Amino acid sequence: MVGGSSPSGSARKLSISLLLVFFIEPRFCYTYNEVKILIKLLFIIGCLVLLCLTLLPSTKLVLAQQSSSHILTTKLTVQVFLQGIGNAGDYENPKSKGNMNPLHKYRNITIKIYDKNNKLVKIINDIVSFDSTSGSFIQTYDVKDLPDGKYSFLIKVKNFLSKQIIGWIAISSSSDNVLPPITLVAGDMIENNSISIVDYNILLSCFGSKALEGGCLNKQAADLNDDGYIDGVDYNLLLREMPATGGQKFIPLATPTLTPYPTFTPTPTILPTPTEIPGPQTSIQDIVPLPQSITSFGGRFALTKDAAIYVNSTDEITPIGQYLADKINPATGFKTKVIPTQTPPITYGNIYLSLVSDTSLGNEGYNLEVTQSGVTLTANKPAGLFNGIQTIRQLLPAAIDKSSVSNINWVMPTGKITDSPRYAWRGIMLDVVRHFFSVGDVERLIDEAAYFKINVIHLHLSDDQGWRLEIKSRPALASSNHYSQDQYKAIIAYAKARYITIVPEFDMPGHTSAARNAYPSLNCGYGDNLCPYNNYTYSFVSDVMSEVASLTPGQFIHIGGDESSLNTSAYDTFVNKVQDIISSKGKYMIGWDESSRANLKTSSAVEYWINGGYVNEAVNKGAKVVMAPVCHAYIDFSYAYGVPGGAGFVGSCPYLSVQNSYSWDPNSDIWKVTDKNILGVEVPLWTETVYSMNDIEYMVFPRAIAMAEVGWSSQNKRNWSDFKNRLGSLGSRLESIGIHFYHSPDINWR
């Protein structure tokens, strides 16, 4: 209190006064000395008790302050469920040999905490023990040094993956902070929370103590019995556990003979030829995507200014030959001619292109033979010749892709390549709504995609932010940046000349603000959706699809269909009607995986991005699938923590490295969805954070190259170590083309 004494202060003064009086003036006591001493002692004790009582309130205050300080300490609780395998058991699964094994009751855990700028702000290293009540490993940590705010977390447990990242979680000193439960899977080497054929195949390449050199993605996760080695025991454990853990059914391979080091097919030594030709040496083994079969002859072929390109007539093959000439002439300074003929001369140093009747090559396969005397490329269909030309370009020195003359010897390694794709659909989706891109930008992307045998460009043409294609019957739709119908036809023609199909997408019934603002009659109280029970809606859709179908030679029109707020009945009604409209225009409908809920025709398809259950529905209805899973294909994500560019976190997939783009198998990504159900693969690029062509190239490359190989090459021939070596050899080639690509530190670029 101001201007006075507190009660406790007055009591203390009274106690001190009594003590002074007693010691200074003891004459009030006239008893014997013993009695006087006893009275004095009792008096002193009473005063001390009174003094202690007066000090008690301040003691309570100190304790209260300490208690208050404790409340303000920030606590963080982390709970991890471990799905084990074999002797690396999770201490919970009764089927696991590790069940109740004391060696597995305690686990080393590392928690990395990142702020909103993806900056690492705290690392916690600890040993956690199994909690039998919750069936998990659970611990609470004092993180009082973290300011209140939002954070993301990376959790790593020894012998398990560090895949799971939670973002963004608000941390506050005024509340208990509990992370959502996290599940980690032992043996899950591709980090998709399941143990699959891919894990099995990866483990095959990881035997021996030098596991990381053998293409094993996660040594600790692959060491399934915790003995420090990746060996036949781990192989057999994975083999045994796969069916129970969600892996695709398969025919077991024979147990391999174990060697201390993984074995690979070495690059053949280039043998000297009778007339040795100096010059930059490429390897026939470095082709991307990986061909089905490669045989090296060990020699060299020299392309000279006297060479010609002979094509066996037909109006379609001559432009393919001219495409090759246009690619090699600027850098060589040659004036290579294209000569149509049924009987090409057998002379030294020429290139021969021809169609042959060989159905084993399909529509896109080819045979390429390079000898010291010439280059012969054959295919069953023109698209195969075009794909073979991309291989010829990669066999020439990297400078072949420059626009200015390089004075070098233009030599190629000799050998034979037989090649054809795994899937018919190998695509890139470009969102031109969030940010609009010119015809020239789209054509540049088409050229770059063709180089890696990508054959689909999926254009996202409408969304809430705008409508990007002229529709003459509905002119109000395209009021801002858009493609005229003539420009759209030019894009299609440009793509067709490179054997690329354009798939247009018009998102509906949700994501339709632009359409509903242009034509208000499309609104009828169903939120941000087109009205599902209004004839005007279907008249509008029919008009749009009539014009789009007449402009688009490809089979499919994409309707989007994702993230709609319509109830199930209204949504199904809408998709069923739109599917019938598209079918009436002579085209097939494809939509994001949510569209699986409708009564799909067997001619329709779905594009998988997030919900495997929906995809199973589609497959059960006989529809086909394009695989674009968010954690392997969404190239609008950042490459890694701290790397500029990207849209940030989505679910449990905070970033998408080149390795994650490559290391998966579409055939075993969703239970019961196999190659017979799959049309192919695609990488979508949403452009909220993409502003320029440089941005497009940076986000697309090299991840689209990884996906191109996933879609082209046989699964049993692919492994990460081999791919990243071949990808690294493309570094100077990408620079020669002028692609602004991300120089991933995981790749030895050269």
Side-chain angles (χ1 to χ4, degrees):
M1 293 188 296
V2 177
S5 299
S6 67
S8 59
S10 299
R12 280 194 294 271
K13 290 177 181 178
L14 176 61
S15 302
I16 293 169
S17 299
L18 289 172
L19 285 170
L20 288 173
V21 169
F22 184 71
F23 283 105
I24 294 171
E25 188 62 47
R27 291 175 295 176
F28 68 90
C29 187
Y30 297 102
T31 58
Y32 293 103
N33 287 336
E34 292 83 354
V35 176
K36 291 170 65 176
I37 292 171
L38 178 61
I39 293 172
K40 182 177 284 192
L41 286 173
L42 291 173
F43 196 88
I44 291 172
I45 292 170
C47 290
L48 290 174
V49 171
L50 181 60
L51 182 60
C52 290
L53 291 174
T54 62
L55 293 174
L56 186 59
S58 62
T59 304
K60 288 181 178 179
L61 178 61
V62 171
L63 292 174
Q65 290 173 340
Q66 291 175 345
S67 176
S68 175
S69 174
H70 177 73
I71 291 172
L72 293 176
T73 297
T74 306
K75 298 292 185 181
L76 174 67
T77 299
V78 178
Q79 183 179 24
V80 181
F81 290 89
L82 299 180
Q83 294 182 4
I85 183 168
N87 286 335
D90 54 15
Y91 207 74
E92 175 192 25
N93 181 0
K95 295 181 180 179
S96 168
K97 286 186 178 180
N99 188 44
M100 303 307 291
N101 183 341
L103 291 176
H104 302 112
K105 184 174 182 179
Y106 302 96
R107 289 284 177 180
N108 296 89
I109 186 171
T110 299
I111 304 167
K112 294 184 178 180
I113 305 176
Y114 298 82
D115 65 14
K116 290 194 69 175
N117 296 317
N118 287 334
K119 179 181 178 182
L120 180 62
V121 294
K122 187 175 183 65
I123 299 178
I124 299 172
N125 290 302
D126 192 18
I127 296 176
V128 291
S129 60
F130 183 77
D131 176 60
S132 57
T133 302
S134 64
S136 65
F137 292 81
I138 187 168
Q139 187 63 277
T140 299
Y141 299 99
D142 183 351
V143 290
K144 62 185 177 183
D145 51 337
L146 287 182
D148 289 4
K150 292 185 177 180
Y151 298 89
S152 62
F153 300 83
L154 181 139
I155 313 295
K156 179 178 180 62
V157 177
K158 184 179 178 182
N159 292 98
F160 288 79
L161 289 176
S162 55
K163 169 184 181 287
Q164 295 286 348
I165 296 176
I166 317 299
W168 295 97
I169 302 297
I171 298 298
S172 171
S173 58
S174 61
S175 62
D176 294 330
N177 302 289
V178 181
L179 293 186
I182 296 162
T183 299
L184 301 178
V185 183
D188 177 12
M189 284 160 280
I190 59 168
E191 305 190 10
N192 67 349
N193 268 1
S194 67
I195 300 173
S196 65
I197 287 289
V198 177
D199 303 306
Y200 166 82
N201 288 332
I202 290 172
L203 196 60
L204 284 179
S205 69
C206 292
F207 292 120
S209 59
K210 299 286 187 179
L212 292 178
E213 296 178 13
C216 189
L217 301 186
N218 187 316
K219 183 179 186 298
Q220 288 183 339
D223 181 14
L224 305 183
N225 64 345
D226 292 8
D227 64 354
Y229 296 92
I230 298 174
D231 52 23
V233 177
D234 302 303
Y235 164 86
N236 289 320
L237 290 172
L238 188 64
L239 191 71
R240 186 195 72 210
E241 294 288 336
M242 274 179 58
T245 321
Q248 197 70 37
K249 291 182 179 179
F250 63 100
I251 299 173
L253 302 177
T255 301
T257 301
L258 303 186
T259 58
Y261 299 97
T263 57
F264 296 97
T265 303
T267 301
T269 302
I270 303 300
L271 301 176
T273 63
T275 53
E276 179 63 24
I277 307 164
Q281 181 60 55
T282 57
S283 171
I284 198 170
Q285 305 291 341
D286 284 342
I287 304 302
V288 178
L290 181 67
Q292 300 299 330
S293 171
I294 302 175
T295 302
S296 173
F297 296 162
R300 285 176 157 191
F301 164 80
L303 182 68
T304 69
K305 62 182 179 62
D306 299 319
I309 300 173
Y310 290 92
V311 300
N312 68 341
S313 68
T314 84
D315 293 339
E316 191 168 8
I317 300 179
T318 301
I320 296 174
Q322 190 59 53
Y323 177 92
L324 176 58
D326 291 342
K327 291 298 181 184
I328 64 179
N329 285 341
T332 61
F334 301 161
K335 296 180 180 179
T336 307
K337 295 180 180 180
V338 178
I339 304 174
T341 178
Q342 290 287 352
T343 55
I346 307 301
T347 57
Y348 183 85
N350 296 315
I351 299 174
Y352 302 90
L353 310 182
S354 63
L355 291 178
V356 296
S357 180
D358 186 351
T359 57
S360 67
L361 296 174
N363 293 332
E364 296 186 275
Y366 62 91
N367 282 317
L368 175 64
E369 186 166 6
V370 182
T371 67
Q372 295 177 37
S373 60
V375 177
T376 302
L377 175 64
T378 61
N380 188 50
K381 297 290 183 181
L385 290 178
F386 185 83
N387 288 326
I389 282 174
Q390 312 316 313
T391 300
I392 290 174
R393 292 170 65 191
Q394 287 191 32
L395 290 175
L396 286 162
I400 195 67
D401 291 305
K402 291 184 177 180
S403 57
S404 58
V405 175
S406 296
N407 293 316
I408 61 175
N409 289 317
W410 299 101
V411 295
M412 300 168 59
T414 58
K416 183 176 181 179
I417 294 174
T418 298
D419 205 5
S420 59
R422 178 182 184 183
Y423 296 123
W425 183 308
R426 305 172 305 280
I428 297 173
M429 189 216 80
L430 177 63
D431 169 13
V432 297
V433 179
R434 275 48 177 251
H435 284 97
F436 183 72
F437 297 95
S438 69
V439 172
D441 287 339
V442 176
E443 289 179 346
R444 179 174 173 83
L445 181 63
I446 288 170
D447 270 328
E448 294 166 351
Y451 191 65
F452 299 103
K453 303 181 177 74
I454 291 168
N455 67 346
V456 173
I457 296 293
H458 166 185
L459 291 177
H460 184 74
L461 290 164
S462 78
D463 213 296
D464 290 324
Q465 295 84 355
W467 187 286
R468 302 304 188 191
L469 178 63
E470 175 190 19
I471 303 296
K472 292 184 177 180
S473 62
R474 305 286 176 167
L477 284 172
S479 58
S480 58
N481 289 334
H482 66 280
Y483 306 117
S484 69
Q485 291 196 0
D486 286 341
Q487 289 175 317
Y488 180 68
K489 287 189 285 187
I491 290 172
I492 286 177
Y494 195 88
K496 183 179 179 182
R498 288 147 183 82
Y499 295 88
I500 286 178
T501 300
I502 299 296
V503 175
E505 178 184 347
F506 299 92
D507 212 344
M508 57 183 77
H511 297 300
T512 52
S513 293
R516 290 183 292 105
N517 289 338
Y519 292 96
S521 296
L522 295 170
N523 296 286
C524 64
Y526 281 85
D528 59 352
N529 298 278
L530 299 179
C531 183
Y533 299 116
N534 188 334
N535 288 335
Y536 181 83
T537 296
Y538 301 108
S539 174
F540 167 85
V541 172
S542 182
D543 289 346
V544 169
M545 294 304 168
S546 290
E547 294 189 37
V548 172
S550 67
L551 296 169
T552 306
Q555 292 181 316
F556 285 97
I557 296 177
H558 206 301
I559 67 159
D562 61 316
E563 299 176 330
S564 171
S565 59
L566 289 178
N567 62 45
T568 299
S569 176
Y571 181 87
D572 291 353
T573 296
F574 179 87
V575 174
N576 289 336
K577 286 183 176 292
V578 172
Q579 179 179 229
D580 288 340
I581 290 171
I582 292 175
S583 180
S584 72
K585 312 302 179 186
K587 302 295 181 183
Y588 302 146
M589 184 193 79
I590 181 172
W592 297 106
D593 55 47
E594 290 93 325
S595 61
S596 302
R597 299 179 304 183
N599 297 325
L600 293 183
K601 300 177 184 292
T602 56
S603 58
S604 294
V606 297
E607 185 162 5
Y608 167 53
W609 72 285
I610 194 69
N611 192 319
Y614 283 153
V615 177
N616 280 125
E617 283 189 53
V619 167
N620 289 337
K621 295 170 184 175
K624 298 294 186 181
V625 182
V626 174
M627 301 292 285
V630 65
C631 291
H632 294 292
Y634 266 44
I635 55 174
D636 52 307
F637 291 0
S638 300
Y639 282 90
Y641 282 119
V643 175
F649 296 154
V650 174
S652 62
C653 308
Y655 58 86
L656 181 62
S657 66
V658 181
Q659 183 172 347
N660 284 346
S661 295
Y662 183 81
S663 299
W664 69 294
D665 179 7
N667 184 69
S668 61
D669 196 67
I670 304 175
W671 182 241
K672 293 186 179 179
V673 176
T674 63
D675 278 355
K676 69 180 181 181
N677 314 116
I678 296 173
L679 284 175
V681 296
E682 184 171 289
V683 286
L685 178 60
W686 304 100
T687 58
E688 289 91 339
T689 62
V690 176
Y691 304 92
S692 67
M693 190 64 205
N694 269 3
D695 293 341
I696 290 176
E697 291 177 336
Y698 178 83
M699 301 306 289
V700 169
F701 298 103
R703 291 181 290 196
I705 303 174
M707 189 63 73
E709 180 151 310
V710 172
W712 182 277
S713 306
S714 298
Q715 180 65 30
N716 62 0
K717 295 181 181 296
R718 295 198 300 113
N719 74 71
W720 168 246
S721 293
D722 174 59
F723 172 73
K724 72 176 183 179
N725 179 63
R726 287 181 288 111
L727 179 60
S729 72
L730 294 178
S732 56
R733 198 172 297 274
L734 294 172
E735 291 170 356
S736 294
I737 297 171
I739 294 176
H740 178 69
F741 67 99
Y742 170 61
H743 290 69
S744 170
D746 297 332
I747 310 299
N748 178 25
W749 299 103
R750 56 196 187 280

